[in-house]
Amino acid sequence: MDAARGLALFGMMAIHVLPAADEDVEPTLTWLLFAGKAAALFALLAGVTLAFTTRKARTEGGHFLAAARWSLAARAGLVTALGLAIAYVDMDAFIILAYYGAMFLLAVPLLGVSTRTLLIAAAGFALLGPALMQGLRDYLPAPGYDPTFSTVVTEPGVLASQLLLTGTYPAIPWLAYIAAGLAIGRMSLDRTRVQLVLLGSGAALAAAAWFGSRLLLAGPGFDRLLASEPYLGSDDLQGILVWGTDGYLPTSSWWWLSIAAPHSTTPFDLLHTMGVATGLLGAMLLVARFAGKALLLLSAPGRMTLTLYCTHLLFLGTGALADLPEFSLWLQIIAFVIFAVIWQRAGKQGPLEKLVSRGAASARDSVLRRHPDTRSAKRGR
């Protein structure tokens, strides 16, 4: 789990730092491997982690489940606040944290539902979320670059619509990853059979979504998209299928939901990246059975991704080494690995992780303190 999270972190860093195209204007290996997929893995793993941390609360129910929900709401608020604060730093990257907080808040009602309901919810958010996004987009304000605390005061409507539907990581369709992660986190992930199922089903879902999109575009889809945008040429559309759009998808045709470009947030994009993330998690769990120690260089940073992600963003804001992208990326990765390994050896939680955990724990304990029976139950265990 930690190693997969570390890989997601480094993948997002690579997308931020390395060029997306080579000298022939072809997508680089970095773009093909990580564009849209690293962020999806990050979100899926967040759902898995939520399943781990709320397992006892779901079993106990009652006040324990209520406390877990308040704890998650507090975590959502703290992560959102961190994202709004760091957005004041000028950088060439989209910040996921405020969207992440919105996803956590929307996930509060999902904590106590059945695994079957979670799987249905994941499919529903993946299929219907993009349709809702496309259907309402023309009636919602255009999003800004990244929301800050100023946006909360001056443009609350823009903030809400951006975090939920119109932004880079819209929380409503992206809740598909959280719901799927919650369902996966309830499985017996230490069993080889489950790990193989995750690997196989994830690969199958990723392939089915990708080929499904290509099949539709090989049929009437491509021509319908060209016809929907008079100023769009065939080469332009081919570029969109590889790179995605500069802004958000046009609303001139529902056929736009048939593409699977990175960060297009279409059903095919969501299902493809969800499959990749699920399969990669299964692969990591299998590798860990036989070579867990070899994953230390990923797992140590994976235990403090919030701290390292924010440090990476602040480094981008300095503009340092912008003309040496490969050197910049490897310098950051090496520094993060060394710091994380030393920090882990000291047995400490990451600084920002500790801050968020304390806030979430405080919200949980405040609920439990109001119910003496829950405190007695805790002492009994």
Side-chain angles (χ1 to χ4, degrees):
M1 277 286 297
D2 292 331
R5 197 178 293 109
L7 181 62
L9 169 68
F10 292 153
M12 293 179 73
M13 290 169 54
I15 290 297
H16 290 163
V17 176
L18 297 181
D22 58 21
E23 295 178 354
D24 299 322
V25 199
E26 294 293 328
T28 60
L29 183 61
T30 299
W31 181 262
L32 294 175
L33 289 178
F34 296 118
K37 303 178 184 70
L41 177 59
F42 220 53
L44 183 93
L45 293 173
V48 178
T49 303
L50 285 179
F52 287 172
T53 57
T54 60
R55 180 170 295 168
K56 182 175 292 187
R58 185 173 66 89
T59 302
E60 297 285 350
H63 305 314
F64 290 102
L65 183 57
R69 285 171 170 158
W70 278 104
S71 176
L72 180 55
R75 184 179 297 273
L78 290 169
V79 171
T80 300
L82 188 57
L84 296 176
I86 206 168
Y88 284 104
V89 179
D90 185 21
M91 69 191 76
D92 189 20
F94 292 104
I95 303 170
I96 198 174
L97 293 177
Y99 300 95
Y100 217 43
M103 292 177 216
F104 283 161
L105 190 60
L106 292 179
V108 168
L110 298 177
L111 295 185
V113 304
S114 67
T115 302
R116 179 182 180 183
T117 302
L118 285 173
L119 293 173
I120 293 173
F125 284 117
L127 297 174
L128 301 179
L132 180 66
M133 181 183 69
Q134 285 292 92
L136 295 179
R137 183 164 280 159
D138 289 340
Y139 305 97
L140 296 173
Y145 180 68
D146 268 318
T148 64
F149 285 110
S150 302
T151 314
V152 177
V153 177
T154 60
E155 298 177 298
V158 172
L159 173 69
S161 62
Q162 182 172 355
L163 293 183
L164 296 177
L165 287 170
T166 64
T168 309
Y169 311 98
I172 290 179
W174 273 59
L175 201 58
Y177 300 120
I178 303 291
L182 277 166
I184 291 171
R186 295 180 181 180
M187 300 178 182
S188 300
L189 297 181
D190 58 333
R191 295 184 179 179
T192 303
R193 180 177 177 276
V194 173
Q195 296 164 3
L196 289 171
V197 167
L198 290 177
L199 176 59
S201 61
L205 177 60
W210 179 258
F211 285 111
S213 171
R214 291 295 173 179
L215 183 63
L216 287 175
L217 293 172
F222 195 88
D223 292 336
R224 294 289 182 87
L225 292 179
L226 287 177
S228 71
E229 295 289 324
Y231 300 102
L232 188 68
S234 179
D235 290 341
D236 298 326
L237 181 53
Q238 289 287 1
I240 290 175
L241 299 181
V242 174
W243 311 105
T245 59
D246 290 334
Y248 45 74
L249 287 179
T251 56
S252 53
S253 171
W254 288 101
W255 278 97
W256 283 106
L257 294 180
S258 66
I259 73 172
H263 291 298
S264 57
T265 316
T266 67
F268 291 99
D269 171 41
L270 292 170
L271 293 174
H272 172 69
T273 50
M274 186 188 299
V276 170
T278 301
L280 183 57
L281 175 57
M284 281 290 191
L285 292 171
L286 285 168
V287 171
R289 296 183 68 87
F290 308 103
K293 292 183 179 180
L295 297 176
L296 178 64
L297 300 184
L298 288 174
S299 63
R303 293 185 179 182
M304 52 189 310
T305 49
L306 181 60
T307 296
L308 298 181
Y309 177 74
C310 291
T311 304
H312 162 69
L313 293 177
L314 293 175
F315 182 82
L316 288 182
T318 68
L321 302 177
D323 55 341
L324 298 171
E326 290 84 3
F327 178 74
S328 174
L329 176 65
W330 283 109
L331 177 65
Q332 292 178 67
I333 289 177
I334 292 171
F336 286 176
V337 168
I338 293 173
F339 176 77
V341 169
I342 294 173
W343 202 267
Q344 180 177 318
R345 296 295 185 189
K348 296 180 179 179
Q349 193 177 21
L352 291 181
E353 285 78 6
K354 187 174 183 179
L355 173 67
V356 173
S357 294
R358 282 186 172 180
S362 178
R364 179 197 64 220
D365 293 342
S366 67
V367 175
L368 296 180
R369 279 195 297 268
R370 295 198 295 268
H371 301 280
D373 56 319
T374 58
R375 296 201 300 270
S376 300
K378 288 173 67 179
R379 286 195 295 269
R381 285 195 298 271

